[in-house]
Amino acid sequence: MFALNLANAQRTHMNLNRRKLLSWFGLGWLASLLPSSLIGCSEATPNVSTPASAPESVAAAPSGNFKEIGTVAQLDKDKVLVSSDKKIVVVRNPNDATKVLAVNATCTHKGCTVAWKSANKEFVCPCHDAKFAADGAVRQGPAHKPLQRYTAKIVDTKVLVST
Ligand code: FES
């Protein structure tokens, strides 16, 4: 009889401990949510998707990182403009002479520097004779990839390229 009472008392005690433990975990779980809830309501949270701010940022954004490569007079005289670091080449667009095209002069085959041949209106690589159109498209291998292209424009008397 005594042993039975002792077993019941132990079971009751264990049930109490289990309840305490569950209530502590319950509170801990609730407490873990508290900081993120506070952050979610904080005024410090940046509001990045407000439509009202979009026109301001677009208006304030620069219109591109254009730099002058040369003048229109130089381009028309030499039929080609080359940047001071020899990496960018600008020519008139053969399909629309009012526009200009700019490409990276580094051949996509093995990295030699291509040269503009105005008679055929194409870039030719001196190393393995690859040929590229004015817009950088491959005309003849061994190169498979086009020359890297840049945005170019004429503004007044200047030729500008964005890299
Ligand atoms: Fe230009 Fe080979 S490096 S064709």
Side-chain angles (χ1 to χ4, degrees), residues 16-143:
L16 281 175
N17 282 346
R18 204 175 295 151
R19 277 191 206 136
K20 267 188 186 173
L21 191 65
L22 286 173
S23 72
W24 274 101
F25 274 121
L27 285 176
W29 175 81
L30 189 63
S32 72
L33 289 179
L34 203 54
S36 61
S37 301
L38 289 175
I39 289 170
C41 296
S42 167
E43 287 181 26
T45 304
N47 188 357
V48 292
S49 62
T50 304
S53 66
E56 274 180 44
S57 62
V58 168
S63 60
N65 189 21
F66 283 92
K67 65 180 180 183
E68 183 181 345
I69 300 296
T71 64
V72 174
Q74 266 181 297
L75 175 62
D76 289 338
K77 180 176 165 263
D78 301 337
K79 308 294 181 213
V80 63
L81 286 177
V82 181
S83 63
S84 56
D85 62 2
K86 313 270 188 235
K87 295 199 171 177
I88 302 169
V89 183
V90 182
V91 296
R92 287 237 183 230
N93 185 338
N95 300 322
D96 181 356
T98 64
K99 295 186 175 148
V100 287
L101 297 169
V103 297
N104 188 311
T106 306
C107 179
T108 55
H109 178 232
K110 297 221 182 221
C112 293
T113 301
V114 298
W116 177 246
K117 303 294 179 188
S118 60
N120 294 333
K121 300 195 182 320
E122 65 187 8
F123 294 100
V124 177
C125 181
C127 294
H128 309 103
D129 209 29
K131 292 179 179 160
F132 302 89
D135 66 357
V138 177
R139 277 189 174 170
Q140 174 182 302

